[in-house]
């Protein structure tokens, strides 16, 4: 029986992005594919894309010379050498099937991203949650230091785009563990933020999930660096195991044994301040212009990377202080009738708990109202109690129906079941299955001085526009 973690990579064969010729990206508007397409385009490579939705990122791609096809048809493949698809586009998708019929190379997005890394010093970030923010902090720290990295992130950096071709030899990327595609990368620096229960539809159990993360670590250059969180049992266990085998490992976190340790954390609406120590020696007082202890935690992974690459502590601190944020991570979208509206991506209960705690700090004397759209039926059912516990930390909650493309929600297992598990007074929680009814439900719950946050599945990021009308 073959090992599901044994994924080949274009890097193993020395295949570069330039070797792929004329490339068609399917679903080019989505954040992940958009960033990779932009990277290819800014390298001056011939790129086209197909997309049905009118994503706001498309005009920028067209400005870069990307041909956008607004439908999925066979003629999109004329003159194309390589088709790039995501996991969402299976072999039955019209363009994928046509590419197979014509004998055109078909790459998964992860393979096209790996090809773009070939010959570069790559820094790859993965983990159950926290990887997008960590990737963004590392990228902007390196940019601030003048190292001009190339990068592809799973979220859009505020003030920048999701993919960019830098002039330096460093490449920073977020790696998706949900479908094992992160096992196609061969980084010099591999970072794992945490290993928590998730994606069991792919892995089946925690043992298999942990084995995949261990393989990611082993795919990292033996002469490179592994950066693992000391606060998470899964990553700490890997750190001890790999260090015993002679691997170079840097741990980070609040824990006393962490190589890069943070403490004296002060978080407010203006950001978070904290002290960083490296091997028990104080590096200095750091500041991030975003609130939250977990954001500070993410930044200490960046400190480990910066030290490995030879940056001075003051340059690392300056780069972190210049961080402009990531869309859908504590992103303030506006104000309405005296209450603030934020948007936050968190849907895993661990990330949700930290997000709710931080937003409660932002709310101060006001109340925190969470508008939550659950993401995937299998996850919501398996983690119902944990998700409900995170939402119970808020003052009031609006629960939408589960967003699960291609999934059937079992009867009695949808959003109402999640609402019932939330420990709040009946007047402080409501199930609103219809999108158009959510703004009225929020207006009935929110008052001047409150904070409203839309949280969860990607479609809910569009809800702030409706709330602010």
């Amino acid at each position: 029986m073959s090992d599901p973690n044994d994924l080949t990579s274009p890097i193993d064969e020395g295949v570069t992005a330039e070797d792929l010729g004329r490339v068609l990206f399917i679903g080019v508007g989505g954040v992940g594919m958009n960033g990779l397409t932009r990277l290819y385009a800014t390298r001056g490579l011939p790129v086209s894309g197909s997309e049905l939705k009118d994503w706001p990122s498309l005009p920028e791609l067209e400005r870069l010379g990307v041909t956008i096809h607004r439908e999925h048809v066979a003629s999109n493949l004329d003159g194309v050498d390589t088709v790039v698809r995501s996991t969402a586009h299976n072999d039955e998708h019209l363009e994928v099937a046509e590419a197979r019929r014509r004998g055109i190379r078909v790459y998964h997005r992860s393979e096209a991203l790996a090809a773009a890394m070939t010959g570069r010093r790559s820094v790859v970030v993965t983990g159950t949650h926290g990887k997008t923010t960590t990737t963004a902090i590392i990228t902007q720290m390196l940019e601030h230091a003048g190292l001009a990295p190339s990068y592809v992130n799973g979220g859009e950096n505020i003030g920048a785009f999701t993919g960019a071709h830098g002039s330096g030899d460093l490449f920073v990327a977020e790696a998706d563990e949900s479908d094992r595609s992160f096992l196609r990368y061969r980084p010099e620096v591999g970072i794992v933020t945490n290993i928590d229960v998730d994606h069991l539809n792919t892995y089946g159990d925690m043992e298999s999930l942990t084995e995949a993360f261990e393989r990611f670590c082993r795919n990292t250059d033996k002469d490179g660096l592994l950066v693992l969180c000391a606060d998470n049992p899964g990553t700490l266990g890997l750190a001890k195991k790999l260090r015993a085998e002679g691997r170079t490992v840097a741990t980070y976190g609040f824990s006393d044994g962490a190589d890069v340790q943070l403490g004296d954390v002060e978080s407010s609406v203006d950001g978070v301040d904290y002290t960083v120590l490296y091997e028990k020696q104080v590096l200095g007082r750091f500041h991030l212009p975003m609130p939250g202890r977990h954001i500070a935690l993410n930044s200490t992974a960046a400190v480990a990377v910066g030290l490995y690459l030879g940056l001075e502590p003051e340059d690392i601190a300056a780069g972190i202080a210049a961080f402009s944020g990531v869309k859908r991570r504590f992103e303030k979208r506006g104000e309405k009738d005296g209450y603030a509206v934020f948007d936050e991506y968190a849907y895993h209960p661990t990330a949700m708990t930290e997000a709710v705690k931080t937003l409660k700090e932002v709310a101060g004397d006001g109340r925190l109202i969470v508008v939550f759209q659950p993401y995937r039926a299998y996850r919501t059912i398996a983690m119902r109690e944990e998700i409900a516990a995170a939402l119970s930390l808020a003052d009031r909650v609006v629960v939408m129906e589960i967003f699960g493309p291609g999934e059937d929600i079992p009867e009695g297992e949808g959003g109402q079941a999640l609402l019932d598990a939330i420990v709040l007074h009946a007047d402080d929680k409501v199930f609103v299955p219809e999108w158009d009814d959510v703004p009225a439900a929020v207006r009935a719950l929110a008052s001047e001085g409150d904070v409203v946050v839309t949280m969860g599945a990607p479609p809910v990021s569009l809800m702030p526009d409706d709330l602010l009308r």
Side-chain angles (χ1 to χ4, degrees), residues 146-158:
L147 296 178
S150 298
Y151 63 92
V152 173
N153 201 356
E156 188 172 345
N157 298 358
I158 294 174

Side-chain angles (χ1 to χ4, degrees), residues 7-86:
L7 269 61
T8 59
S9 171
I11 298 172
D12 299 333
E13 301 172 359
V15 175
T16 68
E18 288 74 14
D19 293 331
L20 302 188
R22 292 159 295 185
V23 182
L24 170 71
F25 290 88
I26 301 175
V28 73
V31 172
M33 199 68 85
N34 168 259
L36 183 57
T37 304
R38 187 174 191 275
L39 177 76
Y40 270 61
T42 54
R43 280 196 185 181
L45 303 177
V47 177
S48 60
S50 59
E51 181 57 70
L52 300 180
K53 297 179 182 177
D54 191 23
W55 293 88
S57 58
L58 296 183
E60 170 64 14
L61 290 180
E62 290 177 318
R63 186 188 69 77
L64 291 170
V66 178
T67 300
I68 306 295
H69 304 290
R70 301 292 179 149
E71 56 183 345
H72 297 305
V73 294
S75 60
N76 293 347
L77 280 76
D78 294 346
V80 167
D81 300 303
T82 303
V83 168
V84 177
R85 64 179 181 88
S86 69

Side-chain angles (χ1 to χ4, degrees), residues 285-322:
R285 190 75 176 161
F286 284 58
H287 173 77
L288 255 173
M290 288 179 69
R293 287 170 58 89
H294 63 299
I295 302 296
L297 175 64
N298 293 337
S299 77
T300 51
V303 172
V305 173
L307 292 173
Y308 171 80
L309 294 174
L311 298 183
E312 295 296 328
E314 55 268 27
D315 294 326
I316 296 172
I320 289 173

Side-chain angles (χ1 to χ4, degrees), residues 215-231:
R215 177 62 67 89
F216 169 82
C217 292
R218 296 190 184 284
N219 286 344
T220 298
D221 191 328
K222 290 183 179 179
D223 296 322
L225 176 70
L226 289 167
V227 181
L228 303 171
C229 184
D231 299 342

Side-chain angles (χ1 to χ4, degrees), residues 166-189:
S167 57
D169 65 346
L170 290 170
F171 195 117
V172 185
E174 175 185 342
D176 181 14
E177 79 283 2
S178 67
D179 56 2
R180 285 194 169 89
S181 61
F182 70 144
L183 299 177
R184 296 196 187 277
Y185 310 127
R186 310 291 185 258
E188 178 178 340
V189 180

